């Protein structure tokens, strides 16, 4: 999400300066690569790059291709095959042992629904969205349709040239919106096309309850990740925006004033670090019924258990499902001591929970780091046939 925000910001700056731009998108990966499908990079005519499509080894060649795309004003599909040990012939020396397909599209500011404007629509609301990008692996030198469909649960923008595919594309977009997983699909009509049906998720919304000094590195690190952080505290001398310049919001609020001032959704996570037992207890009382993905409680396990016992004494007995989202002590066991290390531990655990991972060392993982996307083939018959 941060990459998209940076790209949108860089595009607007380029427009103000009258620069041409192109968007490079990793649309399909076979085997191993540094970035996966969905990675993007904005290129300006004078060579400024925002975002990344690799670990730095493809960007130089992609820049040259992007300049050609801007000159020709036509999308181009570029394929880097690093399964050959002699990848030095590409001039990039990847060593990734994979095949990376990158679509480079010129951006036409005068067109209302160019990809950047679609990203702006997506970022304007906290809703999942699906973007479909069409390209032809069978005819790499031929015309490449590019970004052609945008869909949410309340909006649809279609700019596909092929009317034969539109109903199928909409159906596939709806399925990805429901399943929560991006896919690549191959469509057979009069011409074979591949579609990258991509799910876009809103930025993580991190609510940090507690504006003490230990919250500062937590907010700073979350900003690096592109998470949108709200800091909440009931103390006037702590809940000060100047203390948290990288937070989206700083709220001065008592526990019973919070819910009316924040939006809570499936991408909202919470950390309780107020060091105030009664404040944490009051917030836990409100948060448990919401079954958020992650509620972290700083401090020893016995503190969390004491709060849960007190809630039970009040007559509120959390369900196993509600308790499953509560993590106390918050954070992964990495030997954290200083506030910066604790912040790293907390954010790493939240990331693991959001991605449904266990937070183990990668060297102990037996399967591939990235799951290979499910390739699907769909025949779409031309009505004229």
């Amino acid at each position: 999400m941060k990459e998209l925000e940076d790209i949108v910001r860089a595009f607007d700056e380029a427009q103000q300066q009258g620069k041409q731009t192109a968007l490079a998108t990793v649309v399909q990966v076979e085997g191993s690569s540094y970035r996966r499908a969905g990675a993007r990079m904005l290129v300006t005519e004078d060579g400024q790059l925002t975002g990344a499509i690799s670990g730095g080894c493809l960007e130089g060649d992609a820049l040259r291709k992007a300049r050609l795309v801007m000159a020709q004003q036509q999308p181009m599909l570029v394929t880097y095959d690093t399964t050959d040990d002699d990848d030095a012939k590409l001039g990039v020396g990847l060593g990734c042992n994979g095949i990376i397909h990158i679509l480079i599209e010129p951006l036409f500011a005068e067109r209302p629904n160019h990809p950047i404007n679609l990203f702006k629509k997506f970022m304007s609301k906290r809703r999942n969205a699906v973007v479909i990008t069409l390209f032809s692996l069978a005819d790499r030198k031929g015309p490449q349709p590019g970004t052609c469909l945008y869909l949410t649960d309340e909006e649809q923008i279609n700019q596909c040239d092929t009317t034969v595919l539109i109903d199928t594309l909409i159906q596939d977009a709806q399925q990805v919106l429901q399943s929560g997983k991006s896919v690549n699909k191959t469509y057979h009509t009069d011409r074979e096309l591949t579609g990258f049906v991509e799910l876009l998720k809103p930025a993580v919304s991190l609510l940090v309850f507690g504006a003490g000094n230990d919250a500062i590195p937590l907010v700073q690190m979350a900003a690096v990740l592109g998470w949108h952080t709200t800091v909440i505290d009931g103390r006037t001398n702590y809940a000060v925006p100047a203390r948290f310049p990288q937070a989206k919001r700083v709220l001065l609020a008592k526990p019973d004033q919070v819910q009316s001032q924040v939006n809570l959704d499936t991408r909202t996570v919470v950390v309780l670090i107020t060091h105030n037992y009664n404040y944490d207890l009051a917030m836990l009382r409100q948060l448990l019924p919401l079954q958020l993905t992650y509620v972290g409680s700083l401090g020893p396990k016995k503190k969390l258990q004491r709060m849960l016992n007190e809630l039970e004494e009040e007559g509120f007995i959390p369900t196993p499902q509600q308790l499953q989202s509560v993590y106390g002590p918050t954070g992964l066991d990495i030997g954290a001591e200083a506030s910066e290390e604790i912040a790293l531990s907390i954010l790493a655990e939240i990331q693991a929970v959001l991605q449904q991972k266990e937070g183990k060392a990668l060297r102990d993982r037996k399967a591939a780091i990235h799951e290979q996307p499910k390739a699907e083939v769909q025949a779409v018959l031309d009505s004229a046939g």
Side-chain angles (χ1 to χ4, degrees), residues 212-241:
N213 290 340
D214 54 352
I216 294 175
L218 184 64
V219 174
Q220 291 172 337
M221 292 184 188
V224 173
L225 296 173
W227 295 6
H228 295 179
T229 305
T230 300
V231 180
I232 307 163
D233 202 302
R235 298 169 292 181
T236 57
N237 57 328
Y238 280 84
V240 179

Side-chain angles (χ1 to χ4, degrees), residues 47 52 55 106 122 131 186 270 292 297-298 342:
F122 161 65
V131 171
T186 300
V270 172
L292 300 174
S297 173
L298 186 70
I342 293 171

Side-chain angles (χ1 to χ4, degrees), residues 269-289:
V269 295
V270 172
V271 179
L272 302 173
I273 56 172
T274 65
H275 301 281
N276 181 317
Y277 178 85
N278 290 327
Y279 198 113
D280 284 357
L281 175 63
M283 288 314 310
L284 193 62
R285 185 184 295 112
Q286 296 180 49
L287 294 170
L288 275 172

Side-chain angles (χ1 to χ4, degrees), residues 28-331:
Q28 185 166 310
V29 172
E30 303 162 40
S32 175
S33 72
Y34 184 79
R35 298 297 307 273
R36 308 303 296 172
R40 289 182 170 85
M41 180 176 73
L42 184 78
V43 183
T44 64
E45 61 181 279
D46 59 350
Q48 293 183 347
L49 307 178
T50 304
I53 53 174
S54 75
C57 40
L58 294 182
E59 277 69 5
D61 189 70
L63 169 58
R64 291 188 288 272
K65 299 292 195 308
R67 282 174 167 159
L68 181 60
V69 164
M70 284 183 265
Q72 296 178 343
Q73 297 290 283
Q74 293 293 331
M76 175 190 297
L77 183 68
V78 183
T79 297
Y80 298 96
D81 186 348
T82 65
T83 57
D84 190 335
D85 290 336
D86 186 21
D87 60 13
K89 64 188 179 184
L90 290 173
V92 292
L94 293 173
C96 290
N97 197 32
I99 302 174
I100 304 103
H101 304 285
I102 298 171
L103 185 71
I104 306 176
E105 303 173 80
L107 297 174
F108 303 100
E110 67 277 8
R111 297 181 183 177
N113 294 322
H114 60 74
I116 303 300
N117 276 351
L118 296 182
F119 298 150
K120 288 181 178 180
K121 284 182 177 290
F122 161 65
M123 290 187 296
S124 68
K125 297 181 180 180
R126 290 192 57 82
R127 293 178 180 272
N128 287 350
V130 175
V131 171
I132 297 184
T133 305
L134 290 178
F135 52 99
S136 176
L137 292 174
D139 183 15
R140 291 182 175 85
K141 301 297 182 182
Q144 303 294 332
T147 305
C148 70
L149 184 71
Y150 172 86
L151 182 139
T152 69
D153 57 4
E154 61 178 19
E155 185 178 14
Q156 174 187 311
I157 298 175
N158 166 38
Q159 49 192 19
C160 301
D161 292 334
T162 171
T163 57
V164 177
L165 278 179
I166 185 58
D167 290 341
T168 303
L169 293 176
I170 292 173
Q171 182 179 10
D172 288 344
Q174 291 172 337
Q175 289 178 350
V176 165
L177 199 61
Q178 293 173 2
S179 69
K181 291 186 178 181
S182 303
V183 298
N184 281 97
K185 286 201 170 187
T186 300
Y187 304 97
H188 289 290
T189 58
D190 56 337
R191 179 184 179 213
E192 183 179 299
L193 292 173
T194 301
F196 176 38
V197 190
E198 178 187 11
L199 179 72
L200 300 177
K201 295 181 180 180
V204 175
S205 173
L206 172 63
L207 304 186
V208 179
F209 287 91
N213 290 340
D214 54 352
I216 294 175
L218 184 64
V219 174
Q220 291 172 337
M221 292 184 188
V224 173
L225 296 173
W227 295 6
H228 295 179
T229 305
T230 300
V231 180
I232 307 163
D233 202 302
R235 298 169 292 181
T236 57
N237 57 328
Y238 280 84
V240 179
R243 285 172 50 80
F244 301 94
Q246 291 171 303
K248 292 293 182 180
R249 299 175 67 195
V250 177
L251 297 179
L252 176 64
K254 296 179 180 179
D256 59 359
Q257 300 171 331
V258 172
Q259 282 202 56
S260 63
Q261 299 185 61
V262 298
N263 295 319
L264 303 171
D265 56 36
T266 57
R267 297 281 286 172
T268 300
V269 295
V270 172
V271 179
L272 302 173
I273 56 172
T274 65
H275 301 281
N276 181 317
Y277 178 85
N278 290 327
Y279 198 113
D280 284 357
L281 175 63
M283 288 314 310
L284 193 62
R285 185 184 295 112
Q286 296 180 49
L287 294 170
L288 275 172
L290 303 178
Q291 283 193 230
L292 300 174
T293 304
Y294 184 97
V295 177
S297 173
L298 186 70
K301 186 178 294 186
K302 63 181 181 181
K303 172 196 168 185
L304 174 60
Q305 189 57 55
R306 178 187 168 193
M307 288 192 291
L308 294 174
N309 291 341
E310 193 164 333
L311 291 177
E312 290 187 14
E313 290 173 3
E314 296 175 2
F316 173 40
I317 302 177
T319 66
Q321 291 79 12
Q322 291 170 344
L323 291 175
Q324 193 172 5
S325 66
V326 180
Y327 293 79
T330 180

